[in-house]
């Protein structure tokens, strides 16, 4: 009998493409940004198999390739990446509150209590992943709650969609409601079991997740450090230097340490694949430690504005003499939007407040390859090139009447790009491909799991 090839036929998409071959902050935008006004991106078996000018690639596509042409008013990019987000906070996004510590007590913690129920967690995970896809986000680094079943539910739902995703159960053994506390031992054991089950399963990855220094005892930070040592391939995610009252509290709780980052560094949590949310008030010395240890910052500007935390100075983070890996994060529910375009808009405003001008191409780098670099994933995701995983977002450059009107006056591609990140939101996302599969198409509003 003949061996029938049951694989789906190769697919390809056509339209303008923006991608990056390197880091424009360190190597300049002209050397690293690639704009191809009429390109074809071919995909098979979850990967990009070809990319280049349509005239050239079109001639060498395998027979039977279906080419979907998105047209001149679209923009094809690597899928967006969110380096810091709390899926359990989806039901309380947009909570009217005081700043961080009150917001946590009054809104985040009460909501997180509900995740003892795995089916509730699953229902939220579905909404959360739907919102990611609606916003062109194809990879995220996600906080769950203290309940291991919250992580189970998210991993199961992400697996059904074929998403590359990192997540972890929160470690928290003090300064929170009793029902949200684990212990150094149960937190360690539960994390260990989740790592064994999920890390490296398909596209899923585990992140050891001590929430932040104030909610973990020394013993728990010690246990988190042990998990990191035992699983160097896993992520470590936590918060740092987000809010002035938080920083003062850490000083009180850890008087023996030489600052907030030193708490984490002492417990061996500063390392490659460590992602620290916010970092607004990191000192120059702390930035130097971040650089030296290969740690990354997740810059979450909509959250920083919403919670009144402050304005992160991205210019300081990317300084040439000691660049710190920097990604972009929505930080929902502290953040106010799942839209990476809206997040870039806020990143631009935060940079302006620090007299730093964030160009549109630098911002798109942050949303794609830059955040992949922060997560040590730039060899797999974050750019359009043969061999990369086929996670792709297709933007509509005329998604609202105002944007369409404004675009008439755009005199350059850079300007058109800036208009999108300033005025655009989820409506600009026309299609989202995950590992080569069309998972979201705006005009038919379908989310399809295999
Ligand atoms: N710090 C500790 N927990 C949180 C959280 O859930 N959100 C934000 N924005 N900051 C935190
Ligand atoms: Zn956060």
């Amino acid at each position: 009998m003949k061996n029938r090839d049951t694989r789906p036929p190769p697919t390809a998409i056509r339209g303008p493409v923006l991608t990056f071959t390197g880091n424009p902050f360190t190597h300049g935008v002209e050397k690293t940004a690639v704009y191809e006004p009429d390109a074809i991106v071919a995909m098979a078996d979850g990967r990009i198999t070809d990319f280049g000018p349509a005239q050239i690639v079109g001639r060498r596509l395998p027979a039977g390739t279906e080419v979907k042409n998105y047209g001149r008013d679209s923009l094809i990019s690597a899928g967006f990446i969110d380096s810091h987000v709390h899926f359990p906070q989806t039901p309380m996004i947009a909570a009217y509150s005081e700043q961080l510590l009150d917001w946590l007590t009054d809104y985040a913690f009460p909501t997180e209590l509900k995740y003892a129920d795995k089916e509730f967690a699953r229902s939220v995970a579905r909404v959360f992943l739907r919102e990611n896809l609606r916003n062109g986000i194809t990879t995220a680094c996600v906080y769950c709650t203290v309940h291991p079943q919250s992580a189970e539910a998210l991993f199961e739902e992400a697996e059904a969609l074929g998403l590359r995703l990192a997540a972890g159960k929160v470690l928290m053994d003090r300064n929170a409601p009793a029902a949200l506390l684990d212990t150094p031992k149960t937190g360690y054991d539960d994390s260990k079991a989740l790592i064994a089950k999920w890390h490296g399963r398909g596209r899923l990855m585990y992140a050891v997740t001590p929430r932040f220094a104030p909610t973990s005892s020394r013993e728990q930070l010690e246990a988190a450090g042990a998990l990191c040592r035992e699983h160097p391939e896993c992520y470590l995610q936590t918060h740092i230097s987000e809010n002035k009252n938080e920083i003062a509290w850490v000083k009180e709780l850890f008087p023996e340490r030489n600052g907030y980052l030193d708490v984490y560094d002492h417990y061996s949590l500063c390392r490659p694949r460590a992602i620290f949310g916010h970092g607004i008030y990191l000192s120059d010395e702390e930035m130097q430690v971040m650089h030296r240890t290969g740690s990354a910052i997740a810059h979450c500007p909509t959250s920083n504005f919403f919670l009144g935390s402050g304005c992160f100075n991205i210019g300081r983070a990317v300084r040439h003499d000691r660049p710190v890996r920097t990604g972009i994060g929505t930080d929902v529910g502290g953040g106010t939007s799942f839209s990476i375009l809206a997040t870039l808009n806020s990143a631009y405003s935060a940079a302006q407040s620090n007299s730093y001008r964030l160009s549109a191409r630098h911002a798109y780098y942050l949303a794609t390859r830059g955040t992949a670099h922060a997560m040590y994933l730039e060899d797999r995701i974050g750019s359009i090139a043969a061999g990369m995983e086929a996670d792709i977002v297709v933007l509509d450059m005329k998604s609202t009447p105002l944007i369409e009107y404004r675009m008439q006056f755009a005199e350059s591609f850079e300007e058109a790009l800036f208009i999108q990140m300033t005025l655009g939101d989820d409506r600009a996302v026309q299609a989202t491909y995950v590992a080569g599969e069309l998972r979201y198409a705006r005009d038919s509003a379908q989310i399809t799991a295999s």
Side-chain angles (χ1 to χ4, degrees):
M1 224 172 78
K2 260 191 178 169
N3 246 348
R4 284 259 176 85
D5 190 350
T6 53
R7 286 178 305 179
T11 57
I13 57 177
R14 180 171 179 173
V17 166
L18 171 67
T19 191
F20 295 86
T21 56
N23 182 346
F25 289 103
T26 50
H27 291 84
V29 81
E30 298 310 329
K31 287 206 183 108
T32 55
V34 174
Y35 175 62
E36 180 52 59
D38 183 16
I40 287 180
V41 182
M43 304 171 246
D45 301 326
R47 289 186 184 269
I48 296 171
T49 50
D50 206 350
F51 158 59
Q55 293 300 334
I56 297 170
V57 174
R59 277 191 251 121
R60 62 186 186 214
L61 288 173
T65 305
E66 286 169 32
V67 182
K68 162 104 180 131
N69 191 346
Y70 283 99
R72 292 173 24 205
D73 292 335
S74 64
L75 181 66
I76 296 169
S77 157
F80 295 141
I81 305 172
D82 184 347
S83 60
H84 183 115
V85 62
H86 302 253
F87 100 83
Q89 295 174 6
T90 308
M92 48 70 78
I93 185 173
Y96 178 69
S97 177
E98 305 286 334
Q99 292 193 350
L100 176 67
L101 300 177
D102 294 297
W103 173 88
L104 277 173
T105 307
D106 297 343
Y107 295 97
F109 291 160
T111 301
E112 293 187 18
L113 284 166
K114 297 180 182 166
Y115 292 78
D117 175 356
K118 184 173 176 188
E119 286 317 303
F120 179 74
R122 184 186 307 289
S123 71
V124 179
R126 286 190 176 148
V127 174
F128 170 81
L129 294 175
R130 180 193 76 197
E131 285 306 306
N132 277 342
L133 293 174
R134 287 186 62 260
N135 286 282
I137 296 168
T138 49
T139 289
C141 194
V142 190
Y143 288 66
C144 302
T145 65
V146 73
H147 315 93
Q149 59 269 38
S150 70
E152 293 275 358
L154 179 68
F155 279 132
E156 286 166 17
E157 294 303 313
E159 185 173 51
L161 291 162
L163 283 161
R164 177 168 285 291
L165 177 131
K169 139 197 158 61
V170 157
L171 298 169
M172 181 154 75
D173 69 349
R174 63 170 171 170
N175 293 321
L180 281 184
L181 300 182
D182 55 10
T183 68
K185 170 146 176 53
T186 62
Y188 174 90
D189 289 347
D190 288 343
S191 303
K192 197 89 184 159
L194 287 165
I195 291 168
K197 181 165 176 191
W198 292 104
H199 185 79
R201 175 159 152 177
R203 304 182 78 201
L204 302 174
M205 306 168 291
Y206 195 79
V208 176
T209 309
R211 183 180 207 115
F212 69 156
T215 48
S216 284
S217 63
R218 290 167 181 75
E219 294 71 27
Q220 183 160 70
L221 293 175
E222 191 79 61
L227 286 166
C228 288
R229 273 191 300 280
E230 290 155 17
H231 301 279
E233 70 288 1
C234 286
Y235 290 93
L236 175 287
Q237 58 180 350
T238 190
H239 296 81
I240 190 159
S241 297
E242 173 180 4
N243 167 287
K244 290 187 175 163
N245 292 336
E246 169 213 16
I247 296 168
W249 195 20
V250 171
K251 227 178 225 166
E252 269 172 41
L253 292 169
F254 296 92
E256 74 279 18
R257 300 268 57 95
N258 192 18
Y260 200 159
L261 189 66
D262 189 47
V263 174
Y264 295 137
D265 200 19
H266 178 75
Y267 293 101
S268 313
L269 303 181
C270 296
R271 61 193 271 275
R273 288 181 204 79
I275 304 175
F276 293 96
H278 307 287
I280 300 169
Y281 301 104
L282 288 171
S283 66
D284 282 338
E285 292 71 32
E286 288 175 316
M287 285 287 189
Q288 183 66 46
V289 173
M290 296 285 293
H291 166 76
R292 179 172 49 74
T293 56
S295 304
I297 295 173
H299 172 31
C300 307
T302 73
S303 168
N304 297 161
F305 284 123
F306 181 67
L307 292 174
S309 303
C311 279
F312 178 72
N313 185 345
I314 195 165
R316 266 184 75 225
V318 299
R319 241 176 56 186
H320 284 226
D321 56 326
R322 49 125 188 81
V324 176
R325 290 170 189 254
T326 304
I328 201 91
T330 64
D331 194 28
V332 163
T336 50
S337 178
F338 280 93
S339 170
I340 292 294
L341 295 175
T343 307
L344 297 182
N345 180 25
S346 287
Y348 176 81
S349 298
Q352 283 282 60
S353 303
N354 285 295
S355 304
Y356 182 86
R357 228 152 52 116
L358 181 65
S359 87
R361 279 180 293 177
H362 285 84
Y364 280 75
Y365 166 77
L366 276 180
T368 55
R369 191 181 171 109
T371 300
H373 178 66
M375 294 182 71
Y376 288 79
L377 286 174
E378 76 272 25
D379 58 337
R380 298 183 194 188
I381 57 170
S383 53
I384 306 271
M388 301 295 285
E389 296 175 8
D391 289 347
I392 291 172
V393 58
V394 184
L395 299 179
D396 168 4
M397 303 286 271
K398 296 185 174 171
S399 61
T400 71
L402 177 62
I403 294 174
E404 184 166 14
Y405 175 75
R406 175 65 178 85
M407 284 287 285
Q408 290 179 69
F409 303 99
E411 289 178 357
S412 65
F413 174 65
E414 177 76 20
E415 188 178 351
L417 210 51
F418 188 67
I419 292 165
Q420 303 306 315
M421 66 180 250
T422 305
L423 300 177
D425 52 29
D426 55 338
R427 292 168 291 183
V429 174
Q430 219 180 140
T432 306
Y433 290 82
V434 175
E437 303 271 341
L438 180 63
R439 291 293 187 201
Y440 169 69
R442 181 191 62 189
D443 298 335
S444 59
Q446 288 281 343
I447 305 285
T448 42
S450 45

